[in-house]
């Protein structure tokens, strides 16, 4: 297989600061109300441009590195406002899907690329849907990865129920999972960043299909996960674009792990049924982090779709 390599460390400053798509870490300043907020994004790879928005809200972007896609695409990873070295909003109530879409558009304008592919994972998929609805002409193709068109009370109740099933399956061999369902409902806004990070790292095994069977492989990633508390304080109605899906014109790949407890096949099917121009891919032996668990299959699915849309010249050779 071509892509067993780990993601390389990106330079903290871009190779060419005057070139918005130069490999490395870039910083722009984005107007937001009366404030001006710094936002970082990271460029890796070569080929057509694909912007990637990570999940959360409040999870550090690093987990979403996709080295196999970097072989065929110029990946632009947004470091969402409120996380990492990006700036913080003066009012944490402003951490909304619309705000993230606003900051994403600022990156698009800075890059000055007329059209691009857009990948959103989990909560980042909410942002990608909102962005593609608001700016359809600029998005050549959309990858909606382990996400949903709705995150209402039923969505969260289903996630808790699925977590309870996970606990029942594993608590005998791994007693530490006994509190996972309660931990899932922790109000992160009452914690500091270290506390929010501890919650995320605690729960990571539930986001994977077979964490303990591959613990030597996944434990280092678990130790590097970061979560930031303030973005969970955003105030907005429950996300729901189901009625708008027929208006979402860019072709979309809806991709989910078969065993994703939070954004699994049920919610992928809602997207697939609501969109007019879509392809559905449910990947086996994977949970919420398919690109870590099944990278070759994940990359092949994404690149095959983008090839069919004319975004990349051909699928990656495996």
């Amino acid at each position: 297989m071509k892509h067993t390599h780990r993601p390389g460390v990106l330079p903290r400053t871009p190779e060419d600061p005057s070139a918005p798509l130069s490999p490395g870490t870039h910083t722009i300043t984005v107007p937001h109300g009366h404030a001006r907020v710094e936002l970082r994004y990271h460029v890796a790879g070569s080929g057509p441009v694909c912007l990637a928005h990570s999940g959360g809200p409040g999870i550090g972007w690093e987990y979403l590195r996709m080295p196999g896609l970097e072989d065929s695409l110029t990946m632009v990873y947004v470091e969402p406002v409120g996380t990492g070295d990006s700036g913080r909003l003066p009012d944490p109530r402003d951490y909304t899907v619309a705000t993230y879409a606003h900051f994403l558009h600022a990156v698009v304008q800075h890059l000055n690329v007329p059209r691009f592919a857009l990948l959103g994972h989990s909560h980042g998929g909410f942002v990608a849907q909102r962005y593609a609805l608001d700016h359809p002409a600029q998005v050549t193709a959309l990858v909606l990865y382990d996400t949903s068109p709705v995150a209402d009370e039923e969505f969260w109740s289903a996630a808790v129920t699925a977590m309870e099933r996970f606990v029942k399956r594993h608590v005998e061999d791994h007693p530490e999972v006994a509190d996972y369902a309660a931990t899932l409902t922790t109000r992160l806004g009452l914690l500091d960043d270290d506390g929010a990070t501890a919650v995320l790292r605690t729960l990571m095994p539930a986001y994977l299909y077979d964490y303990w069977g591959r613990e030597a492989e996944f434990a280092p990633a678990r130790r590097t996960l970061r979560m930031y508390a303030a973005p969970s304080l955003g105030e907005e109605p429950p996300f729901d674009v189901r009625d708008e899906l027929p208006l979402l014109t860019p072709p979309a790949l809806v991709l989910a792990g078969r065993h994703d407890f939070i954004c699994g096949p049920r919610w992928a099917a809602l997207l697939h049924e609501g969109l007019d121009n879509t392809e559905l891919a449910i990947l086996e032996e994977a949970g919420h982090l398919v690109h870590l668990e099944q990278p070759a299959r994940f990359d092949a699915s994404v690149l095959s779709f983008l090839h069919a849309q004319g975004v990349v010249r051909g699928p990656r050779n495996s």
Side-chain angles (χ1 to χ4, degrees), residues 171-188:
V171 69
E172 185 173 341
D173 293 331
H174 303 281
E176 68 273 19
V177 309
D179 296 329
Y180 271 26
T183 303
L184 181 65
T185 59
T186 300
R187 294 176 61 189
L188 297 177

Side-chain angles (χ1 to χ4, degrees), residues 124-153:
F126 302 170
V127 179
Q129 290 172 72
R130 182 73 266 154
Y131 188 88
L133 285 163
D134 294 342
H135 305 278
Q138 289 187 267
V139 180
T140 55
L142 194 58
V143 179
L144 300 175
Y145 165 31
D146 277 324
T147 189
S148 170
V150 59
D152 57 6
E153 187 175 333

Side-chain angles (χ1 to χ4, degrees), residues 158-195:
V160 172
T161 299
M163 182 66 91
E164 290 170 345
R165 288 197 297 267
F166 175 89
V167 170
K168 285 181 181 178
R169 285 198 305 273
H170 296 288
V171 69
E172 185 173 341
D173 293 331
H174 303 281
E176 68 273 19
V177 309
D179 296 329
Y180 271 26
T183 303
L184 181 65
T185 59
T186 300
R187 294 176 61 189
L188 297 177
L190 301 178
L191 306 175
D192 60 13
D193 292 344
D194 288 342

Side-chain angles (χ1 to χ4, degrees), residues 46-68:
S46 60
V49 173
C50 178
L51 272 74
H53 202 291
S54 53
I59 297 177
W61 74 277
E62 293 88 348
Y63 81 92
L64 199 60
R65 279 293 299 275
M66 298 172 171

Side-chain angles (χ1 to χ4, degrees), residues 15-56:
E15 292 178 357
D16 180 357
S18 66
L21 285 169
S22 176
T25 297
H26 298 251
T27 304
I28 61 174
T29 302
V30 182
H32 178 71
H34 298 295
R36 295 178 64 81
V37 182
E38 284 195 343
L39 184 76
R40 296 201 178 203
Y41 69 90
H42 309 268
V43 180
S46 60
V49 173
C50 178
L51 272 74
H53 202 291
S54 53

Side-chain angles (χ1 to χ4, degrees), residues 91-116:
D91 185 347
R93 294 174 297 180
D94 288 342
Y95 289 107
T96 65
V97 169
T99 296
Y100 291 114
H102 165 72
F103 278 85
L104 175 60
H105 191 54
V107 175
V108 171
Q109 291 178 307
H110 178 73
L111 296 178
N112 196 28
V113 288
R115 287 166 66 74
F116 54 91

